[in-house]
Amino acid sequence: MLKSYSLIVYDRWGKKMYETTDIMKPWEGKTLGGHDCPDGTYYWIVNYQSHCNNGEGVKKIKGFVQ
């Protein structure tokens, strides 16, 4: 179980394309306004904190999707 979660997706120029704090709402290739994103490279960041991580704080993972 997670104490906190956020997912943010940016385009290659750093424009925020998607953001959620609901782990059940993954990015489906759409903008914040609900429009399809053009083909390209997108950068994602997930920040999360687990109830089980013994006070280690928020973890960050990141990567690219094409």
Side-chain angles (χ1 to χ4, degrees), residues 9-42:
V9 180
Y10 299 94
D11 69 9
R12 64 187 294 178
W13 296 280
K15 180 180 176 188
K16 187 186 297 182
M17 304 302 287
Y18 182 75
E19 181 174 23
T20 186
T21 57
D22 185 347
I23 197 167
M24 300 305 290
K25 292 186 178 179
W27 183 53
E28 295 180 343
K30 303 216 182 261
T31 65
L32 289 168
H35 303 287
D36 288 340
C37 291
D39 291 345
T41 302
Y42 295 88

Side-chain angles (χ1 to χ4, degrees), residues 33-53:
H35 303 287
D36 288 340
C37 291
D39 291 345
T41 302
Y42 295 88
Y43 181 69
W44 56 266
I45 301 171
V46 171
N47 294 297
Y48 69 94
Q49 186 173 16
S50 171
H51 286 287
C52 303
N53 69 354

